Amino acid sequence: MGLLAERLGVRTPSLYKHVAGLDDLNRGIAALALGEAADAVGAAVQGYAGRDALAAATRAFRAYVLEHPGRYAATIGVEPTGPDDPMADAGQRLLAAFMAVLRGYDIAPSDRDHVLRMLRSLCHGFATLQSAGGFQWSADIDESFEWLIAFADRGLRAT
């Protein structure tokens, strides 16, 4: 909190007029990031179905993580405290956007949670590795991401 206060040019006690502490600050950042990601993915999938919706959602999610790696990192491991927590609403909106993508595929209801976790793992893994400079090979990163989308699409159509 002291470093944040210094960067903002205020005294540390002044921060506590706005947040209860570091955990509260992190929760606020996480809620902001999850809401922004939900808005980006939700807007991206509008009017698309099937592979086009999958591509739009995953590209939007990746773009958000690359544009805001710190904000996105704040969302990891933070769970809503209850239905009134802004994280709950944002999480539901992001989930709804990805559920809309799945409507373009013949996914058994019993498999939806697994598919959502698979998509999150693909997007999270790729985007966080990319944002950390984890792809050092000469292959084009965008081309690799498009390959990932095609791979996921083939898998979803095969279920």
Side-chain angles (χ1 to χ4, degrees):
M1 295 295 285
L3 180 60
L4 177 62
E6 183 180 316
R7 286 186 174 186
L8 295 173
V10 299
R11 294 180 22 202
T12 302
S14 299
L15 292 178
Y16 290 98
K17 293 177 183 172
H18 305 284
V19 293
L22 194 54
D23 286 344
D24 187 40
L25 177 63
N26 193 59
R27 291 191 67 73
I29 294 169
L32 171 70
L34 203 54
E36 289 175 339
D39 290 344
V41 174
V45 301
Q46 292 293 317
Y48 293 108
R51 187 198 186 287
D52 293 336
L54 175 66
T58 56
R59 289 176 189 142
F61 190 85
R62 174 185 172 217
Y64 182 81
V65 174
L66 294 177
E67 290 170 19
H68 308 286
R71 288 184 197 173
Y72 176 71
T75 68
I76 306 304
V78 179
E79 295 293 327
T81 56
D84 295 333
D85 187 327
M87 292 271 309
D89 176 63
Q92 286 300 313
R93 290 188 296 115
L94 185 58
L95 182 64
F98 275 101
M99 288 297 290
V101 170
L102 297 187
R103 284 194 286 275
Y105 297 93
D106 187 22
I107 306 291
S110 62
D111 289 339
R112 287 188 187 136
D113 287 348
H114 305 303
V115 171
L116 288 168
R117 286 179 177 153
M118 180 270 301
L119 288 176
R120 182 172 185 217
S121 297
L122 289 176
C123 293
H124 169 85
F126 196 99
T128 55
L129 280 169
Q130 184 181 1
S131 72
F135 296 131
Q136 300 295 316
W137 300 339
S138 61
D140 183 85
I141 294 173
D142 291 335
E143 187 177 319
S144 293
F145 193 72
E146 293 304 314
W147 193 94
L148 180 140
I149 293 168
F151 182 79
D153 176 64
R154 285 191 304 272
L156 291 173
R157 282 188 279 124
T159 57

